[in-house]
Amino acid sequence: PVIRCKEQRELSEGNLLVVTVATKETDGFRRFMRSARHFNYTIKVLGRGEPWKGGDYMTTPGGGQKVRLLKAGLQEMKEEDKVILFIDSYDVVFASGPKELLKKFQQTRHKVVFSAETLIWPDRHLEDKHPHFREGKRFLGSGGFIGYVPNLKEMVADWTGEDNDSDQLFFTKIYINPEKRKSINITLDNRCRMFQNLHGSLDEVVLKFEDGQVRARNVLYDTLPVVVHGNGPTKLQINYLSNYIPTVWTFETGCSGCLEDLRPLSGLKESEYPLVVIGIFIQQPTPFVSVFFESLLKLEYPKNRLKLFIYNQEQHHEVEVSSFLKDHEKAYQGVKVIGPEENMDRVASRNLGLDMCRQDKDCEYFFSMDIEVVLKNKDTLKILIEQNEPIIAPMITREGRLWTNFWGALSADGYYARSEDYVDIVQGRRVGVWNVPYLTKVYLVKASLLHEELSSNDLFSSGTLDLDMAFCHNARNKGVFMYVTNMHTFGRMLSTENYQMSHLHNDLWQIFENPKDWEERYIHENYTKIMRDKLIETPCPDVYWFPLFSDIGCDHIVQEMENFGQWSGGRNTDTRIQGGYENVPTIDIHMTQINYEKEWQKLLLDYIAPITETMYPGYYTKCISYLNFVVRYKPDEQPLLTPHHDASTFTINVALNSKEIDYQGGGCRFIRYNCSVEAPRKGWALMHPGRLTHYHEGLRTTAGTRYIAVSFVDP
Ligand code: UGA
């Protein structure tokens, strides 16, 4: 007859109970529970609401409290064939289900199996006492073990330690005692078939993408652990792995984890929207500040559910701030401004901004925005709130670069390190909501944190760290998870380098440093459509007409010239040009006079040359141009220009203001064709050959002031 031993009977899922200690529901605990639910584990949580006296593992051994709670918990359990998995929860995720765990447990043919460690801790003098294995890790880790109830009871029976005594030392001493090891029947999971502790083993672990599911693989032992534990100083690595494991993000399904536990806002009445304090920080001279405020205004969110905290350190930007407030302050529920005259330092301003939300009992979120953020997505705030994370940033990038507002990993000294998935996330090959160690520039913080984990009113300082690093460091230390989402496109961040403040409209000079923003601000909204939609008009033979500058672009150029003010006298002698003699003088200011020649040259190359080459096929141009200037026509000054040729192969002539509104009359007549453009359009450019065929004159301006920008290209 076949004799079946008791332990050979296959354990079923009903035999297993997962027991963990969690005095608080941290972000890590919630993550643990999500992965447990995914595999249908039955969980019992001990110690809820108790104060934690178990110590801080980062610095000193501790964890005795877990043993006390386990010992008490076991007393109530009577079933002898019950198997308990006792496991940490703040830094643990399940990569597989109970069935596999029990099978692997039974295959060990022991009654209690501990997770194994590469490093010995906390007492390295005990090293020699540890039995050797042919292969695998020799030391015991107390963050996870599995065993039958009676054996576990026997194991903890002698516990009389303090809550801050080391649980690991206690279990280690039992394990290295040969009699106890034998009687309780303990072994280690030395090849990480069940438990993967990450401390000391980071090089052994890689993500393994399976069909619609992700696991960790131990490449040293070629095993697929069921439980992954970011013990000790490996909290960021478990955060990284758990962006994927078990099914948070997979190649097949994308980020299914991103769709869980949302906080939908749709259907809410305006008055029901959560109150948000938006902190706006102007810390350095920055281009396009008025554009920032325009996108703030466009944010889709009831303004009476928003309060603003504006910190401005720059005298120079007071104009933009006060002009925004003058027109819109009343729409918001409240506004607090800290101006440059208050001399508040940056760190203090950040702390104060957060505090404005903390002190407001209605405030549910703090939304922090640095002035160099270019938010293109009007729904950003709503999207972030709906994602329902403790701290979350929308991913924004620096145009054309791998720079973003988050780091995927930290280097050993706490600075930037590139995570394996960083480039895939930045370039959108992996789309999701990612737990990351550092974010900056723009992020949303749940106010509930400000009353708990982040209740300190000095979160932005920490030793020598800069303020964002200090903030993230503090959040990490409190176990608060920070996420960045690239589920949508949100916007960009500006470069604040090389920002000169010597002009009236300094943004005009940004064509090199922030070309995209420059284009959006200054180039006509239809410019890019002109080729596609054949918007280029031909008002006279070989004269082409197309939109070039935006209204604001025209206004800024004119205002810049008027601000400079040194209009030429309209005489033939002109010291500004080579030879000193001008045949057809106008009242004008050259681009060189306002230091705009390099920028103008770039404008010609980027925005004019492609059109020239399309309209005059076979002609190639590098847009050499020594004469670029703005002309002013006025009835009582210089109202017109007599017929002439230009010293150019082709000429660009852009109308900078509007007929009927700013002036009467004006226009350009091509004599040979007896053809005139009499109704110039603001922002539109005329392009025509300079010599021989296109003998032309500037028609009389009869009232007001007319401005045009002119370039003689390829002289
Ligand atoms: C791990 C092991 O769990 C410890 O038994 C071991 O002593 C330690 O490594 C070590 O090797 O020195 P670790 O993962 O670093 O500890 O620490 P945490 O995860 O911060 O804490 C352990 C567990 O205690 C948590 O996962 C959680 O289950 C519980 N805990 C901790 C609370 O319930 N409340 C707290 O405030 C802190």
Side-chain angles (χ1 to χ4, degrees):
V2 182
I3 303 171
R4 280 185 177 272
C5 311
K6 200 177 158 197
E7 54 266 36
Q8 275 176 337
R9 214 176 43 225
E10 207 175 293
L11 290 165
S12 78
E13 288 158 48
N15 291 102
L16 180 71
L17 178 66
V18 178
V19 179
T20 187
V21 171
T23 54
K24 274 168 82 179
E25 287 210 358
T26 61
D27 295 336
F29 176 76
R30 281 186 281 268
R31 170 180 63 190
F32 170 81
M33 291 303 276
R34 268 201 298 274
S35 75
R37 265 199 308 273
H38 176 79
F39 294 111
N40 276 323
Y41 282 100
T42 311
I43 310 269
K44 187 175 172 65
V45 179
L46 305 176
R48 262 200 175 126
E50 267 192 25
W52 176 253
K53 300 196 196 114
D56 168 13
Y57 293 116
M58 293 299 203
T59 43
T60 49
Q65 188 166 354
K66 293 191 297 177
V67 191
R68 169 172 62 76
L69 289 164
L70 174 65
K71 184 173 173 179
L74 284 169
Q75 249 139 43
E76 297 158 20
M77 299 181 201
K78 306 288 178 228
E79 308 123 277
E80 304 226 320
D81 57 352
K82 195 91 193 161
V83 174
I84 303 290
L85 169 69
F86 190 62
I87 186 89
D88 286 358
S89 48
Y90 289 1
D91 47 11
V92 168
V93 288
F94 287 103
S96 182
K99 218 173 153 158
E100 179 178 333
L101 179 73
L102 289 173
K103 187 169 156 211
K104 287 176 168 176
F105 170 53
Q106 282 196 296
Q107 285 168 349
T108 66
R109 299 176 170 276
H110 285 77
K111 295 292 176 61
V112 174
V113 184
F114 271 86
S115 71
E117 301 242 23
T118 313
L119 307 168
I120 182 164
W121 164 266
D123 185 354
R124 59 188 173 81
H125 302 293
L126 300 177
E127 176 163 352
D128 292 344
K129 304 218 162 64
H130 283 74
H132 281 276
F133 289 100
R134 236 181 308 132
E135 185 192 31
K137 302 179 192 299
R138 253 176 95 198
F139 307 113
L140 173 146
S142 59
F145 53 87
I146 183 168
Y148 288 95
V149 167
N151 307 65
L152 295 181
K153 279 184 177 166
E154 184 185 344
M155 187 170 76
V156 297
D158 296 338
W159 171 262
T160 52
E162 300 295 325
D163 276 359
N164 63 352
D165 284 348
S166 171
D167 59 332
Q168 183 137 314
L169 186 61
F170 172 74
F171 292 124
T172 299
K173 283 181 173 163
I174 294 173
Y175 172 69
I176 60 178
N177 176 322
E179 286 85 56
K180 287 192 180 164
R181 182 165 71 238
K182 192 146 179 251
S183 75
I184 303 170
N185 196 353
I186 308 178
T187 190
L188 302 188
D189 175 40
N190 57 315
R191 291 172 59 248
C192 305
R193 300 187 74 230
M194 284 177 267
F195 304 99
Q196 178 68 58
N197 290 315
L198 294 176
H199 188 30
S201 308
L202 287 171
D203 295 345
E204 295 165 23
V205 182
V206 297
L207 286 171
K208 176 182 186 288
F209 293 90
E210 298 177 337
D211 281 348
Q213 147 148 286
V214 189
R215 301 192 63 155
R217 178 205 288 278
N218 185 305
V219 290
L220 192 58
Y221 308 120
D222 196 22
T223 51
L224 296 169
V226 176
V227 169
V228 190
H229 179 202
N231 57 323
T234 61
K235 303 290 178 261
L236 299 184
Q237 284 81 9
I238 186 71
N239 290 352
Y240 172 79
L241 297 173
S242 61
N243 281 331
Y244 298 93
I245 300 170
T247 54
V248 180
W249 190 96
T250 71
F251 281 101
E252 291 78 7
T253 60
C255 188
S256 51
C258 300
L259 308 173
E260 287 172 30
D261 304 325
L262 303 180
R263 176 185 184 170
L265 294 176
S266 59
L268 288 188
K269 292 203 220 71
E270 289 219 335
S271 60
E272 292 166 347
Y273 271 71
L275 183 74
V276 181
V277 170
I278 304 187
I280 295 161
F281 299 90
I282 308 176
Q283 291 188 163
Q284 72 281 310
T286 305
F288 305 110
V289 169
S290 37
V291 180
F292 176 94
F293 283 112
E294 282 165 24
S295 34
L296 181 69
L297 272 175
K298 286 190 212 139
L299 211 54
E300 290 277 351
Y301 205 87
K303 295 208 173 24
N304 61 8
R305 302 303 293 154
L306 296 175
K307 290 187 177 183
L308 304 181
F309 172 90
I310 304 177
Y311 166 72
N312 174 21
Q313 219 185 20
E314 289 299 324
Q315 201 77 48
H316 174 83
H317 288 312
E318 288 222 281
V319 207
E320 290 108 329
V321 174
S322 53
S323 115
F324 165 75
L325 289 177
K326 184 165 78 45
D327 299 337
H328 306 290
E329 177 163 8
K330 287 203 188 69
Y332 293 91
Q333 199 188 99
V335 176
K336 182 175 174 58
V337 184
I338 308 281
E341 70 290 348
E342 297 196 32
N343 261 326
M344 181 181 287
D345 70 57
R346 296 161 180 201
V347 169
S349 79
R350 301 281 169 160
N351 287 329
L352 197 69
L354 266 190
D355 215 46
M356 179 165 162
C357 174
R358 191 185 282 119
Q359 300 303 335
D360 187 331
K361 65 174 187 358
D362 294 329
C363 178
E364 285 194 60
Y365 295 92
F366 181 73
F367 187 41
S368 187
M369 286 172 103
D370 293 4
I371 199 73
E372 58 269 37
V373 168
V374 185
L375 264 199
K376 303 297 296 175
N377 189 330
K378 294 199 284 284
D379 293 318
T380 301
L381 182 54
K382 285 205 268 188
I383 291 169
L384 296 182
I385 291 176
E386 292 188 321
Q387 200 59 52
N388 199 19
E389 302 290 4
I391 299 180
I392 182 166
M395 185 182 85
I396 55 170
T397 52
R398 188 85 156 263
E399 216 21 49
R401 308 225 204 147
L402 284 175
W403 282 41
T404 62
N405 59 326
F406 80 96
W407 296 348
L410 289 189
S411 63
D413 54 359
Y415 285 87
Y416 174 85
R418 187 173 278 188
S419 59
E420 268 174 54
D421 55 5
Y422 182 75
V423 176
D424 283 336
I425 293 174
V426 176
Q427 298 183 341
R429 280 189 296 276
R430 293 186 187 178
V431 169
V433 178
W434 312 93
N435 188 328
V436 294
Y438 174 84
L439 27 89
T440 178
K441 309 278 183 207
V442 49
Y443 50 85
L444 182 76
V445 182
K446 266 192 190 166
S448 54
L449 296 168
L450 304 177
H451 306 287
E452 285 263 339
E453 292 88 337
L454 304 182
S455 59
S456 152
N457 55 15
D458 193 17
L459 291 168
F460 288 91
S461 56
S462 174
T464 55
L465 297 180
D466 82 21
L467 51 90
D468 293 318
M469 286 177 67
F471 176 74
C472 295
H473 172 87
N474 284 321
R476 291 195 305 267
N477 275 0
K478 295 288 180 185
V480 175
F481 288 171
M482 293 174 278
Y483 293 87
V484 66
T485 167
N486 66 343
M487 300 271 284
H488 304 257
T489 50
F490 294 103
R492 308 186 282 269
M493 54 188 162
L494 292 165
S495 161
T496 56
E497 284 155 43
N498 304 317
Y499 190 55
Q500 306 273 321
M501 294 208 295
S502 46
H503 312 283
L504 177 67
H505 294 296
N506 301 294
D507 299 345
L508 271 176
W509 275 257
Q510 286 294 303
I511 189 169
F512 290 104
E513 198 62 37
N514 290 295
K516 183 103 181 160
D517 302 90
W518 189 92
E519 176 176 304
E520 284 180 5
R521 185 77 167 153
Y522 290 129
I523 293 296
H524 198 286
E525 56 176 355
N526 289 337
Y527 173 84
T528 43
K529 285 192 234 150
I530 60 178
M531 301 280 203
R532 198 187 60 212
D533 302 351
K534 304 213 166 31
L535 270 169
I536 300 190
E537 299 182 23
T538 316
C540 299
D542 286 322
V543 176
Y544 297 106
W545 202 18
F546 53 89
L548 179 65
F549 286 128
S550 66
D551 258 19
I552 287 175
C554 295
D555 295 347
H556 282 192
I557 294 172
V558 168
Q559 286 161 16
E560 200 62 46
M561 291 306 183
E562 286 297 353
N563 182 55
F564 178 73
Q566 296 176 33
W567 295 94
S568 63
R571 280 179 293 275
N572 291 104
T573 41
D574 191 340
T575 50
R576 299 170 303 173
I577 56 175
Q578 230 181 357
Y581 187 85
E582 171 57 68
N583 240 337
V584 200
T586 47
I587 302 232
D588 57 33
I589 294 173
H590 290 184
M591 294 300 177
T592 46
Q593 290 176 277
I594 61 162
N595 272 324
Y596 203 64
E597 67 276 19
K598 282 206 301 292
E599 290 75 10
W600 191 264
Q601 173 72 25
K602 173 123 174 99
L603 165 89
L604 293 177
L605 268 178
D606 289 356
Y607 297 97
I608 300 296
I611 296 183
T612 312
E613 294 179 2
T614 315
M615 303 322 289
Y616 303 113
Y619 183 74
Y620 298 98
T621 178
K622 292 209 166 75
C623 287
I624 311 252
S625 176
Y626 306 114
L627 275 181
N628 310 295
F629 51 95
V630 170
V631 182
R632 182 167 81 181
Y633 290 118
K634 267 184 182 186
D636 56 351
E637 208 177 58
Q638 177 182 25
L640 53 79
L641 197 58
T642 53
H644 61 282
H645 282 297
D646 291 338
S648 70
T649 300
F650 68 94
T651 295
I652 297 297
N653 170 345
V654 196
L656 295 176
N657 57 355
S658 297
K659 185 161 171 151
E660 309 300 337
I661 299 170
D662 303 306
Y663 63 89
Q664 304 292 333
C668 185
R669 189 169 90 94
F670 298 92
I671 291 142
R672 185 180 160 93
Y673 308 98
N674 190 21
C675 175
S676 301
V677 180
E678 277 176 16
R681 300 172 190 156
K682 184 174 177 181
W684 282 56
L686 283 174
M687 176 171 68
H688 60 81
R691 308 187 176 89
L692 208 59
T693 50
H694 284 68
Y695 192 57
H696 59 285
E697 65 178 326
L699 299 173
R700 180 182 292 276
T701 298
T702 55
T705 308
R706 165 172 183 204
Y707 297 92
I708 55 172
V710 178
S711 279
F712 295 157
V713 189
D714 297 341

